[in-house]
Amino acid sequence: LAVWDSFARRAMPTCFQPMLPHGRKTISDKVSAAGEAEGSVRTIRFVKHQQRRHKMRLIPFVLAWVVAVVSSDVVSETKKVWRSGGRIRYFYDDKASNPCGAVFFIGVGTAMSVRDYDFVASNITAGTGIVTIIADPRPGSIVKLFAGPYARTVNAVYRNLASLIPVCHDKDPYFVIGGHSASGQAAINALDRGRLCFTPSGFIGLDPFQVNENRMSIDIPAMFWGFTETTCAVNIDAAAKAGYQISPDTSRILYQVENPDREIRHCIFTDNGCGALFGLTCPIESNIGAWVRNYVGESASLFVSALENNDYSKLQFELSGNEDVLIYVNKEEVPGRRNERNLQSLDVACGSTL
């Protein structure tokens, strides 16, 4: 894989020009269950039905956020990205006054597809002006860690944003890149190796893996979601925590979910857990940890606000209820693991590796 990535890096031009010739449209996929025509738009009536297990602090911001979410209409569509080889599924709020004030481009994890992140994407988008793009730079392949395909896809989307996503026509949104798991690694490498045609506004990492603190760096504002305990063989010291460590100490945020029993796992960001192929499994329970996806949505809005106001203080990133989430910002150090244990023993609850 490393040899192929090296070859692709040499072969790929640094910057991509707009890829859609005049009058040519991208190809839309079927976006809903049987009975809907290909290319149609699926409207998700977002209903916040998952009860949080935390007490809510009823501050005005939270009340406004909840009202906005309940009254939102999240629209989604799936498309191929012409010539890049990638596929995207994007979400926007049809009721937002500016439905494309920010774009979050999130790559999928190992063996996952663009249809596996509807819950977290809807939570990010509902009641906001954020367009959430779930991207698969290598459809049909279980391997998502290459920087080359990731860069080709995000460059193509950035250059052709108005054509691909009509609500972004004549808009100049904040553009945040990142990914879950393996795509998080690909995103960091694409950024660090100068493979992008633009400078992203920020980075979002949903437990990116594998992050090497000695060989990788991030030079833009960055927000991460990770865990206090290793699950699914995704070592916490080479995932979100490491991403936080390699980011600027004036504009970095780490949300660390406390999971001492390891029931909340690395793939909580997906709809139904990770991996159904080749023994790659990381299951989730529908009634355990669903609140994490709600918090990811809330944190995305806080991150956009931070970008707007250049405010990366801890107060800026407080959640509506954070009893089970530790928050670190800027120069704050993340404690090491409580005990050094054999990685295999930590992963019994989660099955085999990703």
Side-chain angles (χ1 to χ4, degrees), residues 213 241 244-249 252 254 256 314 326-336:
E213 292 186 39
K241 175 185 171 183
Y244 174 81
Q245 302 284 21
I246 65 172
S247 300
D249 64 7
R252 62 182 183 180
L254 171 64
Q256 202 171 43
K314 197 163 193 173
L326 304 174
I327 305 176
Y328 301 93
V329 300
N330 302 330
K331 297 185 184 298
E332 292 184 330
E333 295 293 329
V334 184

Side-chain angles (χ1 to χ4, degrees), residues 90 92 94 98-100 131 162 165-171:
Y90 66 85
Y92 67 92
D94 197 36
N98 176 10
C100 188
V131 173
I165 306 175
V167 296
C168 291
H169 182 69
D170 288 335
K171 304 293 184 182

Side-chain angles (χ1 to χ4, degrees), residues 57 59 61 104 203 221-225 244 250-256 295-322 325-330 332:
R57 297 197 296 263
I59 58 176
F61 169 79
F104 277 56
F203 186 94
M223 180 178 73
F224 297 89
W225 276 86
Y244 174 81
T250 57
S251 56
R252 62 182 183 180
I253 307 94
L254 171 64
Y255 291 101
Q256 202 171 43
Y295 282 166
V296 171
E298 187 178 345
S299 70
S301 293
L302 297 176
F303 192 47
V304 172
S305 178
L307 293 173
E308 291 174 339
N309 301 308
N310 194 30
D311 178 7
Y312 301 97
S313 65
K314 197 163 193 173
L315 182 63
Q316 165 64 27
F317 289 95
E318 283 191 358
L319 301 170
S320 57
N322 59 356
V325 181
L326 304 174
I327 305 176
Y328 301 93
V329 300
N330 302 330
E332 292 184 330

